[in-house]
Amino acid sequence: MARVSQEHLDARRRQILDGAAVCFARNGFHATSMQDVLKEVGLSAGAVYRYFSGKDELIGAIVGEVLGSVRGAFEEASRQSPPPPPDALVATVLGSVLAAREYLLVDGRPAFPRLVIQVWPETLRNEELAAVLREGYGSVRAAWAKIVEGYQRAGMMRPDVEPDHVARTMIAAVLGFIAQQSLFGPAPVEVLRDGLRALMSMRDEPAPMPGSQSG
């Protein structure tokens, strides 16, 4: 019997994860059965259970994969001196995450933002998934904190700002943007980039209006 190549095994695993992601995004975690996943991916129960024991393991693998790719991108940025500015960095990383999953659709719209929304309430009852999310969130926060420290060393950000506070704020901005896409429809990452850039450009004192005269 010919050995199955690692490439084939990886492709089959990808097929199962993608199909499950679409099912969870479409109907939610509880309303999705393993039979729904089997139908979506067009595989037998034996073929799917060879890779995953059930829904809990599937959703944990999906979440872990996404958080791992985000953490890796931010850790790479933290090693640059100085790191890219926040507006550009967020747009690059989020754009990459969304682009890598743009082929996953539900009713013609991107499935990923809907999937994110479905995962959040599930963590309230699924302690294993909550642990995966906490670990991933913590690693992304730590990577962002290193980026902030790089900004501070380069004189790009005030040294008296707590790096973790900035990290939490940037993560909140990204999650909020994803939630908006799930609720109100797709929007390009340039919207978030431009909004952050505008906030970063604010002054402590209002700039004079064109044509106004001082004193």
Side-chain angles (χ1 to χ4, degrees), residues 3 37 50 62 86 113 125 143 150 190:
R3 294 185 61 185
V37 175
R50 177 181 181 181
I62 293 169
R125 61 160 294 278
E190 287 77 15

Side-chain angles (χ1 to χ4, degrees), residues 61-195:
I62 293 169
V63 171
E65 181 180 68
V66 172
L67 289 173
S69 65
V70 171
R71 180 192 67 236
F74 286 135
E75 287 178 345
E76 181 179 352
S78 72
R79 291 189 285 270
Q80 299 181 41
S81 183
D87 54 336
L89 179 55
V90 165
T92 299
V93 174
L94 181 56
S96 176
V97 170
L98 294 175
R101 294 157 182 83
E102 64 184 358
Y103 61 93
L104 299 178
L105 302 174
V106 173
D107 300 328
R109 293 171 60 174
F112 180 71
R114 291 181 57 165
L115 178 65
V116 171
I117 298 298
Q118 298 288 3
V119 166
W120 291 344
E122 182 59 23
T123 61
L124 299 177
R125 61 160 294 278
N126 186 328
E127 182 53 38
E128 290 185 9
L129 179 58
V132 170
L133 205 61
R134 280 196 300 269
E135 180 181 357
Y137 176 70
S139 64
V140 172
R141 272 175 57 196
W144 249 115
K146 289 181 181 178
I147 291 170
V148 173
E149 291 167 358
Y151 294 152
Q152 292 172 328
R153 286 192 298 270
M156 299 167 63
M157 186 175 288
R158 284 168 33 195
D160 61 334
V161 175
E162 173 59 46
D164 185 61
H165 295 181
V166 180
R168 286 175 176 266
T169 300
M170 297 309 300
I171 293 171
V174 171
L175 291 178
F177 187 68
I178 292 174
Q180 287 183 39
Q181 293 200 51
S182 174
L183 296 170
F184 310 122
V189 293
E190 287 77 15
V191 172
L192 179 60
R193 181 201 65 193
D194 293 348

